[in-house]
């Protein structure tokens, strides 16, 4: 199958679907049959990852939850099995900030892979570095998923028409990837700028992977799931969510529950409505418009810049010795 790569520009008409910001993952997946398909959801034991895994499993996919906390993963798998008839969910260890863990996960994978949802992440944490000296949010949110996806590319290609979903955030509007100082070695560390550039990297990955992997029939898209109170906000002040909610529509963020938050992920992972769409950024189940600046809605022009996407790919491959 030949994929059509739609690199978003300010001059293209955004792709639309019948769904919206209040649609749930179950509604998006209604009538979709994934029997015989295999899927991986990173961070599938918490937040929207649970509902992403549940919706894919309910449609018949064999779902692997890739997690750091195996006990939490097993509890999630048991819950999905108990609440979803015929669900097939397995749990595998994966620490995205640990290169050896990612390599072990890739080496252990056998057979084709139809769906990869790069969902796990860390948000606005205190300054922390990996053993390599990399800033933790960039290392986890981008580099770990980059190593995972590129390592699994042969399995994705073998599936024929595979899809990769890169969960980004409207926080990407806070910062481009600062190539001169990605790891905050020279500039003062700012947890939100670090998170923002890691989420921009998630979009740029989709843009470049869509171009590079089109010949393998692999579609790659990024998304903003919406504002969902989950464990992702564990490093934030206790009243952060309440304060953001109080701002209402001025933030441009659609507040959702986890079932609604997983909807755009499963749309891009499995819906026939987006067949052939690749290299794009979605929010509220629609392709987002390109914006020059702002907060909340749209995709930053720098996040879909093909030159920045190519540069990030090379920088990432060099850091990971790929």
């Amino acid at each position: 199958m030949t994929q059509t790569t739609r690199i978003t520009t300010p001059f293209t008409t955004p792709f639309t679907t019948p769904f919206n910001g209040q649609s749930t993952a179950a509604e998006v997946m209604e009538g979709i049959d994934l029997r015989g398909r295999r899927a991986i959801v990173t961070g599938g034991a918490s937040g929207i990852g649970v509902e992403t895994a549940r919706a894919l499993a309910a449609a018949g996919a064999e779902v692997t939850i890739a997690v750091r906390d195996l006990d939490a993963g097993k509890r999630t798998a048991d819950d999905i099995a108990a609440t979803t008839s015929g669900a097939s969910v397995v749990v595998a260890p994966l620490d995205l900030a640990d290169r050896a863990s990612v390599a072990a996960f890739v080496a252990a994978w056998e057979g084709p892979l139809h769906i990869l949802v790069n969902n796990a992440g860390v948000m606005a944490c205190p300054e922390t570095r990996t053993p390599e000296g990399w800033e933790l949010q960039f290392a986890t949110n981008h580099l770990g998923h980059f190593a995972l996806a590129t390592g699994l590319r042969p399995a994705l290609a073998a599936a024929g028409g595979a899809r990769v979903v890169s969960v980004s955030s409207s926080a990407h509007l806070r910062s481009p990837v600062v190539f001169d100082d990605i790891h905050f070695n020279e500039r003062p560390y700012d947890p939100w700028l670090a998170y923002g550039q890691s989420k921009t990297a998630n979009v740029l990955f989709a843009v470049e992977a869509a171009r590079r992997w089109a010949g393998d029939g692999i579609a790659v898209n990024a998304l903003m799931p919406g504002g969902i109170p989950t464990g992702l906000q564990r490093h934030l002040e206790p009243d952060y969510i309440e304060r953001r909610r109080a701002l209402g529509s001025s933030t441009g963020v659609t507040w959702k529950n986890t079932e609604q938050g997983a909807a755009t992920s499963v749309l891009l992972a499995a819906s026939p409505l987006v067949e052939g769409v690749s290299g794009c950024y979605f929010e509220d189940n629609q392709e987002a418009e390109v914006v020059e600046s702002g907060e909340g809605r749209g995709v930053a022009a720098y996040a879909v810049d093909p030159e920045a996407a190519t540069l990030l790919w090379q920088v990432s491959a060099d850091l990971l010795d790929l």
Side-chain angles (χ1 to χ4, degrees), residues 161-173:
R163 299 190 189 185
V164 179
V165 179
S166 184
V167 178
S168 181
S169 167
S170 61
H172 84 273
L173 294 162

Side-chain angles (χ1 to χ4, degrees), residues 276-297:
V277 176
S278 192
C280 299
Y281 174 95
F282 278 64
E283 59 188 359
D284 294 341
N285 293 295
Q286 313 292 332
E287 185 184 354
E289 294 187 358
V290 176
V291 297
E292 291 300 325
S293 62
E295 180 181 352
R297 299 199 65 80

